[in-house]
Amino acid sequence: QQQQQQQQQQSSSTTDRPNNHYSVHYWMGCHSTPLYSHLHIGGDPRSPSIDTRTLDCSPSCRQRQNCESDLFHEDPVVFIRNRYNLGGRGNSCEEEETQICKLSTETPDFVAVYAKEAHILQQDQLLETYAQVGSFVQGINGVHVSSFTKDNGDAQKDEEDRIYRRIPLLGGVVELSVDEMILFAKL
């Protein structure tokens, strides 16, 4: 019953939105997103209109280098500040008019991003106007076998533990390290 109430609230919030229109930006690497084929938007006129945007990694972009995908992974904070003209550290839009700066500066209604980059963006408070609404296992980063792995308190391992979720198997002897896609909704 509680689940039905949540679904009713979600569906009513969809139809309450002006023009029933949403934007979703995927801040992740090339070919990481299912896009429209998995959004399951029916032909019902009450269905929402959804615009999606991925980071550019097209063949023409690859020929001239500095694709959005590459720039985002080099420094997510600087890329987001430039992409949405948010000012602050690394924003070059005030000094030069790059291709990224010419894009729309309106922040999306929803953002999908890998946990590693979400962690970086949260540290710089670039996701403070968003709430996490979901997380989904997107890939396996590694397999850890505890009987053969020496834990030496490595700082890199500590950072990975905060970013990558570990799933214990076989009574904890084996752990899968997985990357998650985190979904954020604008507050």
Side-chain angles (χ1 to χ4, degrees):
Q1 188 177 31
Q2 186 179 22
Q3 188 177 18
Q4 285 177 338
Q5 288 174 342
Q6 288 175 341
Q7 288 174 344
Q8 286 174 348
Q9 287 173 346
Q10 288 172 350
S11 66
S12 68
S13 67
T14 300
T15 55
D16 291 346
R17 181 163 172 90
N19 301 324
N20 208 15
H21 180 83
Y22 296 90
S23 59
V24 180
H25 289 194
Y26 293 93
W27 297 340
M28 48 185 59
C30 300
H31 314 294
S32 299
T33 59
L35 285 182
Y36 289 108
S37 64
H38 282 72
L39 289 176
H40 302 289
I41 300 171
D44 186 338
R46 295 173 295 175
S47 293
S49 167
I50 299 178
D51 289 329
T52 62
R53 186 172 192 302
T54 61
L55 300 176
D56 185 15
C57 61
S58 64
S60 61
C61 176
R62 292 278 179 219
Q63 288 176 348
R64 54 176 204 272
Q65 299 179 335
N66 288 334
C67 291
E68 287 181 331
S69 179
D70 298 332
L71 294 171
F72 177 76
H73 291 292
E74 284 174 22
D75 192 336
V77 170
V78 169
F79 178 84
I80 297 301
R81 288 191 180 284
N82 284 325
R83 172 63 179 81
Y84 300 100
N85 201 12
L86 298 175
R89 176 179 76 83
N91 186 341
S92 61
C93 290
E94 297 164 4
E95 301 158 12
E96 60 181 295
E97 187 70 14
T98 64
Q99 187 68 24
I100 291 170
C101 299
K102 293 177 185 177
L103 299 171
S104 167
T105 58
E106 187 175 326
T107 56
D109 299 307
F110 296 92
V111 170
V113 63
Y114 283 126
K116 178 181 178 183
E117 287 81 9
H119 179 72
I120 293 167
L121 294 169
Q122 285 172 321
Q123 286 180 327
D124 212 77
Q125 298 178 342
L126 288 173
L127 291 171
E128 68 185 354
T129 60
Y130 289 88
Q132 181 176 331
V133 294
S135 64
F136 312 91
V137 172
Q138 187 73 6
I140 297 175
N141 291 321
V143 177
H144 302 274
V145 180
S146 62
S147 61
F148 299 110
T149 304
K150 181 179 177 186
D151 183 6
N152 58 7
D154 185 358
Q156 181 178 356
K157 182 184 180 305
D158 291 343
E159 181 68 14
E160 287 178 1
D161 284 345
R162 283 194 294 277
I163 296 170
Y164 301 117
R165 186 170 65 152
R166 294 182 185 262
I167 301 171
L169 302 171
L170 303 173
V173 173
V174 176
E175 285 183 328
L176 286 181
S177 174
V178 296
D179 197 1
E180 291 181 291
M181 178 179 69
I182 310 293
L183 181 62
F184 293 92
K186 192 183 276 187
L187 298 172

